[in-house]
Amino acid sequence: MAASWLIRLFLLTVNVLIASLLVKSNSDFCASVFESQTDHVLVGHVMNTSTVADEFECHQKCLGNNSCKSFNVHPGADFSKRVCELNNKTRKTTPDNFKKKKGSSYYGHVKVTCQDLPTNKKKQTGHRHPDFTKKPCEIPRGGWNSKQPAYSCKSIRDSGDSKGDGKYWIDRENSGIPLRVYCDMTTDGGGWLLISNVTMQSSKFPSQLPVKTTYRGITSDQMVLTKTAMNELKTHLSFTQLRFHCSKKKRRTFHVTTAPNSTGEAVVQYFSGQTDVMPASCGSFIKMKNDNSVLATVCKRWGRENGVYGVGKWSHQERYSNRLYVLPAFDHAGYFWVLSPREKRWECDDYFGKVTAGDFWKIYVR
């Protein structure tokens, strides 16, 4: 029995890694393979369930079904059996349905592309197809190039395709016109999309802000979004959290993320332009480890509404049209988040403070 199992496991591994059942001759495609992800499954797309002896048998069932694009294998009630689920979708086509599940495994059908060989020969990877003399075949990673865009930074993280903080390609609309955006893959679990960034290049105040009136402006290195652009972004990307992060080298750092509760959700709705009701500040956010601001400790004194300061709310009622960058959070006693060239106010937990090269104001969604 042990020898038979090892043989079957070896055959499955060979099929997963180098199966070239659908080899084509165009320059962008080498083969069709099955990739594997342990402790993960695809949910919501199961078209057939059966009991099998092992992963190999489930793999054969999928190969014998023209509609099967991937399969899940779960531990059975009997340790000698497995539960095999055939799916009609893959994690690449439905990343929001790719979930963690301890003890189970996912195997998905992917096309293998031909990537340029790296200059360092020691780092060459992949299985070379004989039709290609200069390029190896490698499993494509979602978001790594414009031909394989992902849905979001979060979907890249959840699918295991993250390569760390940096630029990725996303196309939530499936428009065929992907966006190259910055994803923070390390802070608070990662999966954050940068949607606002102002970073000082010197100690001189800039003469204008990089205001973007459409959400597609998030491809810029420097940008702040209007309420309209944020509302447009929300219709395409169902984010549930916001993260505010500003820092001055010679002052302090304000760094909070909205809480996963109804109070935090109200903040997301307000700053994405879904409502003009100013949200409560206390209980709506969580301080990040590097936050050393005064502002995050005095939430009861935030905001201005109906001519009254210190109402315990985000934003400033008279300035809410530019809510994302002019007074999204402030305490009138002298601790502000403001980006206003006209007033020469570039404040992060201070009031009319000076700036230094490297000071920044950034906002992320997830």
Side-chain angles (χ1 to χ4, degrees), residues 78-353:
D78 182 346
F79 288 114
S80 64
K81 298 292 184 181
R82 303 283 190 276
V83 176
C84 171
E85 295 177 341
L86 304 186
N87 306 313
N88 57 11
K89 299 289 184 180
T90 70
R91 73 177 181 94
K92 295 290 186 180
T93 56
T94 57
D96 291 344
N97 298 125
F98 191 59
K99 307 294 183 182
K100 288 185 178 181
K101 187 169 184 179
K102 189 73 173 178
S104 299
S105 296
Y106 164 86
Y107 297 84
H109 179 84
V110 294
K111 290 183 178 182
V112 173
T113 58
C114 295
Q115 308 290 343
D116 290 333
L117 279 170
T119 55
N120 185 349
K121 293 184 179 181
K122 291 182 180 180
K123 294 183 179 180
Q124 292 182 10
T125 59
H127 299 275
R128 190 185 303 278
H129 187 273
D131 289 347
F132 297 89
T133 59
K134 295 182 179 180
K135 298 179 181 180
C137 296
E138 296 177 343
I139 294 175
R141 298 291 185 179
W144 285 30
N145 61 69
S146 59
K147 294 183 180 179
Q148 298 285 342
Y151 276 19
S152 66
C153 295
K154 184 176 181 296
S155 71
I156 295 171
R157 181 205 66 178
D158 292 346
S159 65
D161 284 345
S162 169
K163 56 182 177 180
D165 297 347
K167 294 293 186 72
Y168 293 84
W169 293 89
I170 64 171
D171 186 6
R172 184 70 184 189
E173 304 170 69
N174 288 320
S175 64
I177 309 175
L179 305 176
R180 190 166 184 259
V181 299
Y182 183 88
C183 298
D184 178 341
M185 295 299 193
T186 54
T187 303
D188 191 38
W192 295 98
L193 169 65
L194 180 65
I195 56 97
S196 181
N197 179 34
V198 174
T199 301
M200 291 297 165
Q201 306 302 311
S202 70
S203 58
K204 293 182 61 177
F205 291 132
S207 60
Q208 59 185 6
L209 273 176
V211 178
K212 308 298 179 183
T213 57
T214 171
Y215 85 97
R216 298 187 75 87
I218 61 177
T219 59
S220 305
D221 289 331
Q222 302 256 43
M223 69 281 187
V224 292
L225 299 188
T226 61
K227 184 180 75 169
T228 302
M230 275 295 288
N231 186 253
E232 183 187 13
L233 175 65
K234 192 69 169 71
T235 63
H236 297 302
L237 184 66
S238 300
F239 55 88
T240 58
Q241 283 186 289
L242 279 162
R243 180 159 61 88
F244 293 82
H245 187 190
C246 70
S247 183
K248 285 189 172 183
K249 291 182 177 180
K250 295 183 178 181
R251 293 289 294 179
R252 290 179 293 271
T253 294
F254 174 71
H255 193 187
V256 302
T257 181
T258 54
N261 56 31
S262 58
T263 311
E265 290 171 5
V267 178
V268 173
Q269 291 174 2
Y270 177 76
F271 285 106
S272 61
Q274 296 177 285
T275 178
D276 290 333
V277 177
M278 291 168 59
S281 49
C282 294
S284 69
F285 63 87
I286 300 169
K287 289 176 59 176
M288 295 291 97
K289 290 182 179 180
N290 64 338
D291 178 280
N292 62 0
S293 68
V294 175
L295 187 57
T297 66
V298 292
C299 59
K300 291 182 179 180
R301 303 204 309 245
W302 287 20
R304 174 183 165 96
E305 187 177 33
N306 298 324
V308 179
Y309 287 104
V311 292
K313 294 185 178 183
W314 290 78
S315 197
H316 187 301
Q317 190 177 42
E318 286 83 17
R319 305 291 292 273
Y320 74 86
S321 60
N322 300 327
R323 63 188 65 176
L324 204 64
Y325 51 93
V326 178
L327 300 169
F330 74 98
D331 167 21
H332 192 58
Y335 308 99
F336 295 78
W337 173 308
V338 180
L339 295 173
S340 178
R342 181 174 59 84
E343 299 170 293
K344 294 184 179 180
R345 296 182 64 180
W346 304 85
E347 299 160 17
C348 173
D349 200 48
D350 60 353
Y351 182 58
F352 277 99

